[in-house]
Amino acid sequence: ACIYRASLFLSLALYAVKVRAEAMQKASEAVPSGMLSVVGQREANYKFACLEARKHCESLGIENPVCEISNYLFPDSRVIAGHLQALEFLQENARKYYFTRTKMLPVSGAFHTRLMEPAVEPLAEVLKSIEIQKPLVCVYSNVDGKKYMHSKHIQKLLVKQVVSPVLWEQTMHSLYERKQGTEFPYTYEVGPGKQLGAILKKCNLKAWKQYNHVDALEDEEAAEA
């Protein structure tokens, strides 16, 4: 019975992911948009840069242009998403805004911005059909960088996450917040890359010292050998 229940829940969860992905893809096709990875100097003012990029779009005749921070990765690194014209403007004027590096991401839309509004309702509807329980361990939401409190809270934030910036840097600070003198926990990144470890190092060097990377493929190959 337990196995059947777990299998059923997994199927529903994967269906919700499918609905979310299809709805976001449909929303991204409605407007030429994208995401721009930005690394800036200390003087960089990302919100001001986005404001000027939106004004540029308005001068081109674009109504209600979108250009906003969609990911807070680590200090001095952001992902900005919105209309393509706005992102191109930021790349052309990178020096003015103290951006040291800009790179367009290989995605088809401005995810985690209000351009994804059309995807909100489909996801909200499918989540109503899924029984969500309070996590047995602490799980943090990247919408606000805080712990999920209860099932309704999870449902609400999963929907909000579609149009909200990913607060990864803030979540790292919440997760590793410790009283002075308290040891940091061991952190393991499982998978083929070390990107999350690199971000942790920039967010919290002391926590990173307890970080380990586990390459599942290498372990599998070693076991077969």
Side-chain angles (χ1 to χ4, degrees):
C2 290
I3 294 176
Y4 171 75
R5 184 178 178 83
S7 177
L8 177 61
F9 179 79
L10 179 60
S11 297
L12 290 171
L14 290 174
Y15 177 66
V17 171
K18 179 176 181 290
V19 169
R20 178 181 183 273
E22 291 176 345
M24 291 176 74
Q25 179 60 34
K26 186 176 180 180
S28 69
E29 292 170 357
V31 177
S33 57
M35 304 180 80
L36 180 72
S37 175
V38 177
V39 175
Q41 300 174 34
R42 289 184 179 275
E43 300 89 341
N45 187 327
Y46 303 95
K47 292 185 178 180
F48 176 70
C50 289
L51 173 63
E52 294 214 324
R54 291 195 296 272
K55 288 182 178 178
H56 169 71
C57 287
E58 289 173 350
S59 73
L60 299 177
I62 300 174
E63 295 184 6
N64 300 316
V66 172
C67 183
E68 56 197 56
I69 298 172
S70 61
N71 286 262
Y72 292 80
L73 296 176
F74 54 85
D76 302 323
S77 178
R78 304 283 185 269
V79 174
I80 296 174
H83 281 80
L84 282 180
Q85 295 90 333
L87 304 183
E88 290 166 357
F89 172 83
L90 292 179
Q91 284 190 297
E92 292 168 3
N93 295 275
R95 181 175 295 182
K96 175 183 177 182
Y97 301 116
Y98 299 99
F99 296 163
T100 56
R101 191 175 74 216
T102 61
K103 181 181 179 181
M104 288 295 296
L105 299 182
V107 296
S108 59
F111 304 120
H112 304 293
T113 71
R114 56 188 174 87
L115 285 177
M116 292 294 110
E117 281 285 354
V120 168
E121 190 57 34
L123 178 60
E125 283 300 313
V126 74
L127 287 177
K128 290 177 182 178
S129 65
I130 299 176
E131 180 186 352
I132 300 176
Q133 297 182 358
K134 182 179 178 180
L136 297 177
V137 297
C138 293
V139 178
Y140 289 73
S141 168
N142 58 34
V143 172
D144 57 10
K146 299 178 182 178
K147 299 174 187 176
Y148 285 120
M149 303 303 293
H150 47 76
S151 59
K152 290 293 183 183
H153 187 223
I154 296 172
Q155 187 179 60
K156 177 183 177 181
L157 290 185
L158 285 178
V159 174
K160 190 175 180 181
Q161 199 250 7
V162 174
V163 291
S164 299
V166 175
L167 305 186
W168 189 263
E169 179 184 344
Q170 294 86 335
T171 302
M172 290 294 96
H173 291 320
S174 295
L175 187 61
Y176 291 100
E177 185 178 11
R178 295 287 187 280
K179 291 182 180 179
Q180 191 152 2
T182 304
E183 289 188 8
F184 285 94
Y186 288 102
T187 297
Y188 297 91
E189 179 175 1
V190 180
K194 300 180 181 180
Q195 293 90 340
L196 300 183
I199 292 175
L200 175 60
K201 184 177 183 180
K202 292 179 180 294
C203 289
N204 192 319
L205 183 59
K206 289 182 178 179
W208 175 80
K209 290 179 179 178
Q210 298 283 59
Y211 163 87
N212 289 282
H213 174 250
V214 179
D215 192 323
L217 293 178
E218 284 185 4
D219 288 350
E220 187 177 313
E221 290 172 359
E224 290 177 353

